[in-house]
């Protein structure tokens, strides 16, 4: 395992059994105390490594990597996606954001809209929010579930357990198709979120990011944390691990996420496609032809 991949290991959750959110400190920086510039330099190196791995993923065209980002508002999802993926070839990368479902989406099963957006072989797919909202915001606000047009017989007290099972089975299915799933919970503290909301109110160039509804959601903070803990406990597996990434320091969040993506890619057997004898002869012939061209 490379040094870059190691940084994220303490935040990786592969089994839900002993998982407790309170064991993960949002302010953790992995023992590093970095100046802004140094952190940016390190991230740049990580991004370069990530880009070269992604190039091989694309060339090999067999596997795909799906990165799922979940977090409370202002935890830094957008900035992390932007910075960590800044160096990758846009042709090999697809980003989708999932907001409250449309009328058309509500006419389907809950995995429908995200399934349509899964990455093709050779690609890196990013979900900014995902089907996990179905056991997060929907669990915190039961009236959303009531509006999902579900028949009464599926709305038993087992509905959350059943959704966890369906999600876990779906991720197992993806892994058995060569799609590696890695899930991130950007773990911001309630205090840091307040600070970031206040910044959005005070700094004119950040005003656009402020939504009144976000402050209302803070009132449900504990329910959200309980829902995250339950979801992670039920769906953390070796083939679709969660990373509970400290998110009070943006520079560290970005480094840790880059590290986890590098780890996932390094674990895949990403070699450039083999060139066989016949192909080699073809290439040699093309070279001779090109060199013989006049002008
Ligand atoms: P940002 O605030 O940075 O723009 P965001 O991801 O919070 O990004 P918003 O448009 O603010 O985007 O919020 C999207 C909202 O949609 C979130 O509150 C989320 O919980 C909600 N949402 C996503 N999926 C579902 C779903 N399946 N059912 C109900 N609400 C959902
Ligand atoms: Mg929002």
């Amino acid at each position: 395992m490379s040094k870059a991949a190691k940084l994220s290991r303490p935040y990786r959750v592969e089994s839900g059994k002993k998982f407790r959110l309170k064991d993960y400190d949002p302010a953790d920086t992995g023992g590093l105390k970095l100046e802004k510039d140094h952190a940016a330099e390190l991230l740049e190196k990580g991004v370069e490594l990530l880009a070269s791995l992604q190039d091989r993923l694309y060339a090999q065209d067999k596997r795909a990597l799906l990165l799922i980002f979940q977090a409370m508002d202002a935890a830094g999802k957008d900035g992390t996606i932007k910075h960590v993926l800044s160096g990758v070839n846009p042709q090999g990368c697809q980003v989708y954001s999932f907001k409250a479902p449309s009328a058309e989406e509500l006419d389907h099963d809950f995995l429908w809209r995200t399934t349509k957006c899964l990455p093709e072989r050779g690609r890196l797919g990013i979900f900014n929010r995902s089907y996990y909202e179905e056991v997060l915001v929907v669990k915190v606000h039961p009236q959303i579930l009531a509006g999902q047009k579900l028949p009464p017989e599926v709305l038993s007290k087992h509905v959350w357990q059943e959704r966890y099972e369906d999600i876990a089975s779906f991720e197992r299915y993806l892994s058995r198709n060569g799609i590696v799933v890695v899930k991130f919970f950007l773990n911001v503290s309630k205090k840091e979120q307040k600070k970031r909301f206040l910044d959005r109110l005070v700094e004119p160039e950040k005003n656009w990011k402020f939504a009144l509804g976000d402050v209302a959601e803070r009132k449900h903070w504990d329910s959200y944390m309980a829902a995250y803990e339950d979801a992670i406990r039920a769906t953390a597996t070796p083939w679709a691990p969660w990373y509970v990434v400290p998110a009070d320091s943006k520079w560290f969040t970005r480094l840790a996420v880059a590290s986890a993506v590098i780890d996932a890619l390094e674990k895949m057997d990403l070699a450039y496609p083999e060139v066989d004898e016949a192909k080699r002869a073809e290439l040699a012939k093309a070279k001779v032809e090109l060199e013989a061209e006049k002008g």
Side-chain angles (χ1 to χ4, degrees):
M1 194 197 326
S2 70
K3 211 172 144 203
K6 260 189 197 148
L7 180 84
S8 55
R9 275 301 161 108
Y11 314 107
R12 183 181 170 98
V13 186
E14 290 189 348
S15 156
K17 256 191 214 154
K18 291 186 186 142
F19 177 73
R20 289 276 179 279
L21 199 48
K22 68 171 172 46
D23 296 335
Y24 291 77
D25 177 8
D28 184 5
T29 55
L32 298 174
K33 277 199 200 89
L34 299 183
E35 295 295 325
K36 217 175 167 188
D37 288 352
H38 189 197
E41 229 172 81
L42 261 186
L43 182 63
E44 208 178 304
K45 287 215 182 91
V47 168
E48 272 170 32
L49 177 55
L50 199 157
S52 71
L53 287 162
Q54 184 237 357
D55 197 49
R56 276 189 260 166
L57 177 78
Y58 190 75
Q60 195 190 49
D61 202 19
K62 284 200 159 102
R63 301 177 171 90
L65 176 59
L66 173 64
L67 307 175
I68 293 184
F69 288 88
Q70 287 291 157
M72 298 299 282
D73 279 299
K77 278 186 288 111
D78 294 13
T80 302
I81 293 169
K82 184 166 110 189
H83 284 89
V84 173
L85 297 155
S86 59
V88 306
N89 176 359
Q91 286 214 81
C93 181
Q94 299 145 321
V95 186
Y96 296 95
S97 299
F98 297 98
K99 317 259 174 191
S102 66
E104 187 196 18
E105 288 166 351
L106 283 176
D107 263 339
H108 291 270
D109 60 279
F110 80 82
L111 288 172
W112 181 76
R113 67 172 178 161
T114 41
T115 304
K116 285 196 302 180
C117 301
L118 287 172
E120 303 161 49
R121 296 191 194 287
R123 307 288 168 111
L124 218 156
I126 291 121
F127 285 179
N128 183 348
R129 302 191 188 272
S130 65
Y131 44 78
Y132 278 99
E133 293 289 328
E134 294 291 336
V135 290
L136 296 166
V137 67
V138 183
K139 193 177 181 192
V140 172
H141 298 287
Q143 68 274 24
I144 301 181
L145 184 68
Q148 286 193 338
K149 302 176 71 173
L150 290 162
E153 64 274 18
V154 305
L155 288 172
S156 76
K157 62 177 195 297
H158 305 296
V159 66
W160 307 117
Q161 188 52 39
E162 287 167 358
R163 284 190 173 191
Y164 297 140
E165 282 169 20
D166 293 339
I167 288 173
S169 306
F170 179 64
E171 291 178 348
R172 187 71 176 130
Y173 160 81
L174 293 180
S175 78
R176 286 172 171 155
N177 278 273
I179 301 168
V180 174
V181 186
V182 176
K183 304 163 298 195
F184 295 97
F185 170 47
L186 305 191
N187 186 22
V188 75
S189 66
K190 197 176 179 192
K191 201 170 142 212
E192 178 64 22
Q193 190 200 49
K194 180 175 170 183
K195 188 174 159 281
R196 291 183 189 175
F197 281 170
L198 285 171
D199 285 348
R200 290 179 178 185
L201 289 169
V202 176
E203 294 175 37
E205 65 278 20
K206 287 188 181 167
N207 281 174
W208 66 274
K209 282 191 192 168
F210 185 81
L212 207 56
D214 295 350
V215 174
E217 284 310 278
R218 267 175 76 77
K219 300 200 175 85
H220 303 284
W221 188 273
D222 293 345
S223 309
Y224 270 108
M225 292 306 115
Y228 269 107
E229 185 172 83
D230 289 346
I232 294 169
R233 284 176 73 94
T235 59
T237 60
W239 53 89
W242 274 98
Y243 281 87
V244 179
V245 181
D248 279 5
S249 301
K250 285 184 180 171
W251 64 267
F252 187 72
T253 312
R254 291 167 191 174
L255 281 179
V257 170
S259 159
V261 180
I262 289 169
D263 196 8
L265 290 169
E266 281 182 348
K267 275 209 223 90
M268 297 181 191
D269 189 15
L270 295 177
Y272 284 104
E274 286 272 329
V275 176
D276 60 17
E277 268 313 307
K279 182 79 183 172
R280 228 189 300 276
E282 221 177 79
L283 295 177
K285 193 167 158 250
K287 183 165 174 272
V288 170
E289 259 175 47
L290 271 175
E291 283 171 349
E293 242 183 41
K294 290 199 185 81

